[in-house]
Amino acid sequence: MRTTIKDVAKRAGVSPSTVTRVIQNSSSISQQTKETVRQAMQELNYHPNLNARSLVSSYTQVIGLVLPEDSDFFYQNPFFPQALRGISQVAADNGYAIQISTGKNEKQRMEAISQMVYGRRVDGLIFLYSMPEDPLVQLAIQHNFPFLILGKASSPFVSLVDNDNIQACFEATSYFINKGYKNIGFVAGNKELVVSQDRYEGYKNALKAHHMELDEAKVKFSSGFLLEDNSYKVMKKLTKQPLDAIITTDTIVAEGVLSYLKETGLDLPIISFDSVMPKIDITAYVDINATKLGRVSFNTLLQIINDTKEGKQVCYRRVIPHTIIEL
Amino acid sequence: MRTTIKDVAKRAGVSPSTVTRVIQNSSSISQQTKETVRQAMQELNYHPNLNARSLVSSYTQVIGLVLPEDSDFFYQNPFFPQALRGISQVAADNGYAIQISTGKNEKQRMEAISQMVYGRRVDGLIFLYSMPEDPLVQLAIQHNFPFLILGKASSPFVSLVDNDNIQACFEATSYFINKGYKNIGFVAGNKELVVSQDRYEGYKNALKAHHMELDEAKVKFSSGFLLEDNSYKVMKKLTKQPLDAIITTDTIVAEGVLSYLKETGLDLPIISFDSVMPKIDITAYVDINATKLGRVSFNTLLQIINDTKEGKQVCYRRVIPHTIIEL
DNA sequence: CTGAAAGCGCTTACAG
DNA sequence: CTGAAAGCGCTTACAG
């Protein structure tokens, strides 16, 4: 049999409730008792059964990470491991564990998140993606379950941690403008994604700020899952325009663009957005600092969990700085 | 208040134990009763408290993933997300959740794994790395806790799922030999890693099989964390040898090698090992099929969990096939 | 400063 | 085929 709190209590000559209080380092316990109990715990190599604890105290010290549907794009994008890294760094420091949940379709993902929320397996959720009217987010909202969205905005009333994508792309575009480029193309991923829209906004703002005309023929959105092939095709169309530089919203897009350019012998400066240094031969990239996004997300979620406990309803919006890095 | 099994029992006019049996789809319950109870569950949107269930039944339907110490190399290597992907695909299909545990040092990681094992938070563990005499693996062994190692061998008595790295590198080397190359260099990552040793073994075997002399001056191990910089330096030394092709054990190594070659204007065919298509300009890579490694790992762990329940002690060794892919 | 009692929400023998 | 009772291992008021 595994050692329980009763074994420790017996050995230390106290009651189980006293052992609990020692574990909680309650100030109402004498130093003397604390020491005796701690020694007994050590001697017996006692570790509490966390299921029992969670059952009665209804907190788990676990947070849930909600991933999007199983897709190549998600798992090949360095954003995910980097964000996870940031989250787990802070989680470990705070004694929290991380449970991840995904699935091959919405039904399976709904099942998984239900287990976490209804099953009381986690204290809060971080969504690592964002879709309009996401039923999983709806579930969290309905049950007033603590959560936040990392990376992209969706509804205006949820807490989130994100970059200022408008500003970031403003700066990326200005970077080219300041170098004297006049015909700057813009190739984005899926137009539905808030992130593409925001970066497009920044692109337009930069042109305006520098009194340059927006030429929509120089702007392309690649549909589908931001995949490389699409960007390649899109680029093909774009080169009918005079171009001297290109902004892309993702390294995967940049890859497609680059492979078309190489094939046709063209050489244009390219900027992309990424969370690690791109391995392809481009001019610069905007580091969105995914690890920091992760770290701040965890800390913010902790606040939301506490707010919820106290019945408060605060909506957090945290902005993580980006950096343009020349290659 | 959250709905409990008692609420369902009351509504369906049965006892709580009957509700449990319906959830378990026990064959001793009449079809009639099952339907009534299921309807009551639906109407009340009942979801069992999993902490209560785990407390009494001592299984959790959660498995733990043990990551190595927080390092750039690990989080930038596509191996991890791809393996995770495979694991979570099968886990979701089997109604299992995944908890991950890491930390910035061994103490913190030990803490995290203790929570999972002693705290009864998971039913089994998958280690996504391998070190000799790993105290975390020791913990699992001591407590006869179900686990396996994904990717690399360590002790001879633990279950594991891996590629046949000797064979894989034999084939990679033969690929070059069959194309007529005579001076094939070998640049590996850390010499301590079993994976580097195995691939070196395969390299040597291939030379021998083709009656070619092993020239140790053409072999280099890059120390540290397999990092790019190191491989760059190592390559510098290697080019004092006549070379017409290079085997590298990792795309990150290949990057370092390639960047040195580019600088010096050399152009040599390179093979690397990876779990996704490398983005750099090399000749071919050995696809180690990380997603499948993940899927098989989960399934094997499930078996180990069952074996342990039945008091059996089986040591599994599963080999996942690799593929050479020309670029 | 500490203990006895009750209870968290399930499941598991036992009994019929 | 079903129910009543006991118990999993904790924590939380309550009482002193």
Side-chain angles (χ1 to χ4, degrees):
Chain A
M1 250 355 278
R2 179 158 261 102
T3 56
T4 72
I5 202 169
K6 284 188 189 171
D7 302 320
V8 177
K10 201 170 290 171
R11 182 166 195 116
V14 297
S15 73
S17 20
T18 298
V19 177
T20 292
R21 291 188 191 104
V22 173
I23 292 170
Q24 294 166 338
N25 201 16
S26 158
S27 60
S28 74
I29 297 288
S30 74
Q31 203 52 41
Q32 166 86 60
T33 312
K34 280 186 184 173
E35 269 156 35
T36 332
V37 171
R38 279 182 188 136
Q39 183 159 3
M41 293 199 292
Q42 283 236 329
E43 284 165 8
L44 298 171
N45 191 25
Y46 170 71
H47 290 263
N49 182 318
L50 300 180
N51 296 126
R53 175 181 289 174
S54 294
L55 175 58
V56 49
S57 68
S58 70
Y59 72 82
T60 61
Q61 297 266 96
V62 182
I63 63 147
L65 256 44
V66 188
L67 310 191
E69 229 163 272
D70 185 352
S71 74
D72 283 341
F73 175 67
F74 183 72
Y75 283 100
Q76 286 177 20
N77 198 319
F79 171 77
F80 162 58
Q82 290 300 324
L84 173 60
R85 183 184 192 181
I87 293 170
S88 43
Q89 284 170 351
V90 197
D93 286 341
N94 287 274
Y96 270 75
I98 294 170
Q99 188 162 318
I100 65 175
S101 104
T102 177
K104 62 187 163 205
N105 51 43
E106 197 173 283
K107 185 165 169 289
Q108 215 179 43
R109 293 175 58 236
M110 196 58 158
E111 188 54 42
I113 202 180
S114 298
Q115 302 266 357
M116 295 202 290
V117 172
Y118 295 120
R120 304 255 109 206
R121 284 291 202 203
V122 301
D123 296 337
L125 297 170
I126 296 178
F127 288 83
L128 286 165
Y129 67 98
S130 165
M131 308 183 345
E133 324 234 324
D134 183 2
L136 305 207
V137 171
Q138 301 299 329
L139 181 83
I141 293 174
Q142 270 167 36
H143 293 273
N144 195 27
F145 197 81
F147 78 96
L148 69 76
I149 295 181
L150 187 164
K152 296 151 200 158
S154 73
S155 140
F157 304 116
V158 304
S159 292
L160 60 88
V161 175
D162 199 3
N163 302 107
D164 182 343
N165 280 304
I166 301 180
Q167 176 63 17
C169 201
F170 179 93
E171 291 171 21
T173 312
S174 302
Y175 172 91
F176 277 152
I177 295 175
N178 292 334
K179 295 218 167 202
Y181 296 111
K182 304 284 179 207
N183 295 293
I184 303 167
F186 179 83
V187 187
N190 199 316
K191 197 173 187 162
E192 318 300 314
L193 291 177
V194 182
V195 62
S196 304
Q197 293 165 12
D198 281 358
R199 289 176 187 165
Y200 183 40
E201 200 66 28
Y203 167 78
K204 288 192 292 189
N205 291 352
L207 294 182
K208 194 179 284 173
H210 293 83
H211 312 292
M212 291 168 65
E213 202 79 14
L214 168 66
D215 176 4
E216 289 195 11
K218 296 201 178 73
V219 174
K220 293 285 174 198
F221 288 86
S222 153
S223 60
F225 277 96
L226 296 188
L227 286 173
E228 202 178 328
D229 289 356
N230 251 305
S231 318
Y232 176 95
K233 286 176 201 151
V234 149
M235 194 56 210
K236 211 166 183 167
K237 290 185 200 154
L238 203 60
T239 45
K240 288 173 189 149
Q241 303 298 319
L243 285 177
D244 50 20
I246 300 169
I247 308 273
T248 64
T249 61
D250 190 288
T251 300
I252 301 188
V253 171
E255 275 165 35
V257 165
L258 191 62
S259 77
Y260 180 76
L261 291 180
K262 268 194 185 164
E263 241 170 60
T264 50
L266 287 169
D267 184 18
L268 293 179
I270 299 174
I271 286 185
S272 80
F273 288 71
D274 211 326
S275 35
V276 296
M277 199 175 76
K279 295 172 180 179
I280 56 173
D281 190 24
I282 58 178
T283 312
Y285 74 103
V286 181
D287 183 352
I288 60 169
N289 216 336
T291 311
K292 181 149 193 187
L293 280 164
R295 282 201 300 267
V296 173
S297 291
F298 180 85
N299 285 326
T300 307
L301 180 59
L302 232 48
Q303 293 214 24
I304 295 174
I305 291 171
N306 280 326
D307 290 347
T308 308
K309 244 183 243 158
E310 297 170 11
K312 276 193 262 175
Q313 272 271 31
V314 189
C315 178
Y316 295 92
R317 301 262 157 166
R318 299 248 215 261
V319 175
I320 304 302
H322 53 267
T323 327
I324 297 187
I325 297 181
E326 303 182 321
L327 295 171
Chain B
M1 250 356 274
R2 178 157 263 103
T3 56
T4 73
I5 202 169
K6 284 189 188 170
D7 301 320
V8 177
K10 202 169 289 172
R11 182 164 195 119
V14 297
S15 73
S17 20
T18 298
V19 178
T20 292
R21 292 188 190 103
V22 173
I23 292 171
Q24 294 166 338
N25 200 17
S26 158
S27 60
S28 74
I29 297 288
S30 75
Q31 205 52 40
Q32 168 83 61
T33 312
K34 279 186 183 173
E35 270 155 33
T36 333
V37 172
R38 280 184 187 133
Q39 183 158 4
M41 291 198 295
Q42 284 236 328
E43 286 165 7
L44 298 172
N45 191 27
Y46 170 72
H47 291 263
N49 181 317
L50 299 180
N51 295 127
R53 175 181 289 175
S54 294
L55 175 58
V56 49
S57 68
S58 70
Y59 72 83
T60 60
Q61 297 266 96
V62 182
I63 63 147
L65 256 45
V66 189
L67 310 191
E69 229 163 273
D70 182 355
S71 75
D72 284 341
F73 175 68
F74 184 72
Y75 284 100
Q76 286 177 19
N77 198 320
F79 171 77
F80 163 57
Q82 291 299 323
L84 174 60
R85 184 184 191 179
I87 294 170
S88 43
Q89 283 169 352
V90 198
D93 286 342
N94 286 274
Y96 270 76
I98 294 170
Q99 188 163 316
I100 65 175
S101 102
T102 177
K104 62 186 161 201
N105 51 43
E106 199 174 279
K107 184 164 171 288
Q108 214 179 44
R109 294 175 57 237
M110 196 58 158
E111 188 55 40
I113 202 180
S114 298
Q115 303 267 355
M116 297 202 288
V117 172
Y118 295 119
R120 305 256 110 207
R121 284 291 201 204
V122 301
D123 296 338
L125 297 171
I126 296 178
F127 288 83
L128 287 165
Y129 68 97
S130 166
M131 307 184 343
E133 325 233 326
D134 184 1
L136 306 207
V137 171
Q138 300 300 331
L139 182 83
I141 292 174
Q142 270 167 35
H143 293 274
N144 196 27
F145 197 81
F147 78 96
L148 69 75
I149 294 180
L150 187 164
K152 296 153 202 159
S154 72
S155 139
F157 305 116
V158 304
S159 292
L160 60 89
V161 176
D162 199 2
N163 303 107
D164 182 344
N165 280 305
I166 300 181
Q167 176 63 18
C169 200
F170 179 94
E171 290 170 22
T173 311
S174 302
Y175 172 91
F176 276 152
I177 296 175
N178 293 333
K179 295 221 164 197
Y181 296 112
K182 304 286 180 208
N183 294 295
I184 303 168
F186 180 82
V187 187
N190 198 319
K191 197 171 188 165
E192 317 301 315
L193 291 177
V194 182
V195 63
S196 304
Q197 293 165 12
D198 282 358
R199 288 176 187 165
Y200 182 42
E201 199 67 28
Y203 167 79
K204 287 191 292 186
N205 292 351
L207 294 182
K208 194 179 282 174
H210 292 83
H211 312 292
M212 291 168 66
E213 202 79 16
L214 167 66
D215 175 4
E216 290 195 12
K218 296 202 177 71
V219 174
K220 293 285 173 197
F221 289 85
S222 154
S223 61
F225 277 97
L226 296 189
L227 286 173
E228 205 179 327
D229 289 355
N230 252 305
S231 318
Y232 176 95
K233 286 176 201 153
V234 150
M235 193 56 209
K236 210 164 184 170
K237 291 184 200 156
L238 204 61
T239 45
K240 291 177 185 145
Q241 304 297 319
L243 286 175
D244 50 20
I246 300 169
I247 309 273
T248 64
T249 60
D250 190 287
T251 300
I252 301 188
V253 172
E255 275 165 35
V257 166
L258 191 63
S259 77
Y260 180 76
L261 291 179
K262 268 193 184 163
E263 241 171 61
T264 51
L266 288 168
D267 185 17
L268 295 178
I270 298 175
I271 287 185
S272 80
F273 289 71
D274 211 327
S275 36
V276 297
M277 199 176 77
K279 294 173 179 174
I280 56 173
D281 190 23
I282 58 177
T283 311
Y285 74 103
V286 181
D287 183 353
I288 60 169
N289 216 336
T291 312
K292 180 149 195 188
L293 280 165
R295 284 201 300 268
V296 174
S297 291
F298 181 86
N299 285 327
T300 307
L301 181 59
L302 233 47
Q303 294 214 25
I304 295 174
I305 291 171
N306 280 326
D307 291 347
T308 308
K309 245 185 241 156
E310 297 170 12
K312 276 194 262 175
Q313 272 272 29
V314 189
C315 177
Y316 295 93
R317 301 262 158 165
R318 300 248 213 261
V319 175
I320 304 303
H322 52 267
T323 328
I324 295 187
I325 297 181
E326 302 182 322
L327 295 172

